[in-house]
Amino acid sequence: GNFVYFKDGEKIPYGMSLWAAGIGQLPITTHLLEMLGETEQKDAQDFARGRLAVDPWLRVIGGDGKIFALGDCSCVSSSPMLPATAQVAAQQGEFLGDFLSKDYCIDAMDDKLLPPMGVNPDQSKTLADKIASFAMGDDEIAPPFQYLDLGILAYTGSGSALAQVQIAPGGGLPGADENWDPVRLQIKGKLGFGLWRSI
């Protein structure tokens, strides 16, 4: 018969098998995970699964605040798993560029990775920074990375496309509540193509 076999010896029957997988880790990511060895990074791998676990400011866990990671090789440990897309990497890159251009104390203290604190109280803040500070209840802590899902667009050929746009947050908290399900608008066909062409 037709079975899919797993490493543990378990087998399941199937009618048709389709395997779709991306590329593996880059050697630098694997090497860095090995170098971090017995730090908090090892414990975080239950969630990160081969990616570099990072804190909300994209500092690699176990790296004493001296190593940053973004994009496909990273996994923010305090939020739901983000998709490995250019949209996430671009937002993380913009966040990290802005974050590193400001005056924050980012190093670990007494082997603990504390939230980055502002060194200069007169440092200018954007409206987003002020809102994040208000939400955290502390205006000295750097605002953490926040992913904004801008949706997905895919051209399917013959003047047709698919579009999925988040229009409202879901109930509960992302990653903390099984009921969290954002409200998404899904459009396909000619109307989806019109949206795809308008971007």
Side-chain angles (χ1 to χ4, degrees), residues 68 93-104 106 120 123-124 126 129:
F68 292 85
E94 184 178 348
F95 166 83
L96 202 51
D98 183 59
F99 176 73
L100 293 174
S101 71
K102 295 188 176 166
D103 202 7
Y104 290 111
I106 58 175
N120 180 3
Q123 181 170 253
S124 66
T126 64
D129 291 346

Side-chain angles (χ1 to χ4, degrees), residues 4 21 30 32 34 38 49-50 74 104 108 110 118 130 145 151 155:
V4 174
T30 306
L32 192 51
E34 289 170 4
E38 297 297 319
R49 299 183 333 221
S74 71
Y104 290 111
D110 299 324
K130 290 176 184 176
F145 172 72
Y155 177 66

Side-chain angles (χ1 to χ4, degrees), residues 72-160:
D72 296 3
C73 74
S74 71
C75 175
V76 181
S77 61
S78 64
S79 69
M81 185 76 74
L82 297 175
T85 63
Q87 186 180 148
V88 172
Q91 288 182 31
Q92 287 177 329
E94 184 178 348
F95 166 83
L96 202 51
D98 183 59
F99 176 73
L100 293 174
S101 71
K102 295 188 176 166
D103 202 7
Y104 290 111
C105 178
I106 58 175
D107 295 335
M109 295 186 180
D110 299 324
D111 293 330
K112 293 201 187 276
L113 202 54
L114 302 174
M117 303 295 283
V119 175
N120 180 3
D122 297 328
Q123 181 170 253
S124 66
K125 289 190 172 193
T126 64
L127 179 60
D129 291 346
K130 290 176 184 176
I131 292 169
S133 294
F134 177 75
M136 291 185 300
D138 191 335
D139 62 347
E140 292 183 21
I141 296 176
F145 172 72
Q146 293 288 315
Y147 172 63
L148 175 62
D149 185 354
L150 299 175
I152 299 168
L153 297 171
Y155 177 66
T156 56
S158 301
S160 182

